[in-house]
Amino acid sequence: MGDKASGSVTQHHPPLTDSYDQFRQQQQLATSCGYSQHMQQANLGDGVATARLISRSDWGARLPKSVEHFQGPAPYVIIHHSYMPPVCYTTVDCMKSMRDMQDFHQLERGWNDIGYSFGIGGDGMIYTGRGFNVIGAHAPKYNDRSVGIVLIGDWRTELPPKQMLDAAKNLIAFGVFKGYIDPAYKLLGHKQVRDTECPGGRLFAEISTWPHFTHLNTTEAGSTPTPVEPHAHAHAHPAPPQVAPQAPPQVAAQSPPAATHKV
């Protein structure tokens, strides 16, 4: 079956609040149009720059080819890294990274749109991908029941900056508060549902400390991952050269090469 996505967005979105409690204290700007849901004004007292939700039109997204929604709150949140493009620290660069990912997914892979629900930039901004309740192309068997969040960059050995981690947490909190994410959601790293290195070892270690992080059992994870759409760019995670086992001494079997970074 073909990959499906939804329509474009034209609204501008005000900043996120910093926490779930602050969401409850403020008047909601609850509107929904295609991919986009308004997020409300932040009310921070510490002077820290707040995350903003950037619409598709803001970052220059092209129209999706088609759209398919799923019903109800998403029971899963799946965290990714892009590997390539690398981390971006300015909004201009992060907008370009979103366009680059959409170009690869849509033009080279032939998908309907960028694969992810949202992207997080090193500028601390949240970039609307497919949005909430839209079937994605980021994790096989979970695309129609999850929110896929990609933190732009390579997070195998380095931890994303605080503003990226905070933006991801704020986005999840907003999704829960607005009913797009199940309050009892399970937080996963891409590698838990696919034979891949994504979201990178350092980021995976970080999210494993977050609320709702879940270790899947064999039934939940699926014993045979479905070989569908690759995760990011074709040159992402190049395979290391194969080394033949030597004896003696015995050499432990190598783990699968990082090139199998797929959806």
Side-chain angles (χ1 to χ4, degrees), residues 3 5-6 63-67 105-107 109-113:
D3 167 36
S6 86
L63 291 173
K65 298 174 183 178
S66 61
V67 56
H105 292 172
Q106 202 174 40
L107 301 181
R109 293 295 178 184
W111 305 352
N112 290 327
D113 200 0

Side-chain angles (χ1 to χ4, degrees), residues 154-226:
D154 175 2
W155 306 118
R156 292 175 296 173
T157 60
E158 295 183 14
L159 185 66
K162 183 178 184 299
Q163 65 267 24
M164 294 187 77
L165 301 176
D166 288 348
K169 293 175 182 177
N170 288 343
L171 175 61
I172 295 170
F174 174 81
V176 170
F177 182 76
K178 297 306 300 175
Y180 301 119
I181 298 174
D182 192 315
Y185 71 90
K186 295 180 178 180
L187 178 68
L188 305 174
H190 187 203
K191 65 189 293 182
Q192 294 176 269
V193 301
R194 185 75 174 180
D195 185 11
T196 177
E197 200 173 27
C198 177
R202 186 65 185 88
L203 177 55
F204 184 77
E206 167 65 22
I207 66 170
S208 69
T209 69
W210 293 8
H212 295 268
F213 178 79
T214 303
H215 292 283
L216 294 181
N217 58 40
T218 302
T219 301
E220 289 177 300
S223 57
T224 306
T226 304

